[in-house]
Amino acid sequence: LVRSDVKYVSCGAQFTFIITNNDEVYAAGYNNSGQLGIAGTTTAMSFTKVPISNIIKKASIIYMRYRRKKNE
């Protein structure tokens, strides 16, 4: 991952996501529940490419949780 390829950065308390100019997503940080969307639950000490299918799955789960809370 080259610094000049970075389009967006999103940081949380224990993770960082990067979107490149080619619209690829990379993640690094704490991953105990698989929250980074990469294989397994091992903490990623360097940026790892996140498969688009995992991003769609995670976004769907977050949306459904939001809808459920909103309707309670």
Side-chain angles (χ1 to χ4, degrees):
L1 187 60
V2 179
R3 185 173 152 179
S4 62
D5 291 337
V6 175
K7 184 172 18 176
Y8 300 108
V9 176
S10 176
C11 300
Q14 298 176 332
F15 63 86
T16 301
F17 285 94
I18 290 175
I19 300 176
T20 67
N21 290 321
N22 295 330
D23 294 324
E24 296 175 321
V25 177
Y26 291 82
Y30 196 56
N31 191 39
N32 70 318
S33 298
Q35 60 266 45
L36 296 181
I38 59 177
T41 57
T42 303
T43 296
M45 299 303 288
S46 60
F47 285 100
T48 305
K49 188 173 180 180
V50 181
I52 189 69
S53 59
N54 292 359
I55 297 168
I56 293 168
K57 181 179 176 183
K58 292 287 182 184
S60 298
I61 291 168
I62 291 167
Y63 176 74
M64 293 306 293
R65 287 179 183 162
Y66 167 77
R67 294 282 300 173
R68 188 174 26 210
K69 277 189 167 188
K70 186 176 178 184
N71 291 329
E72 288 179 356

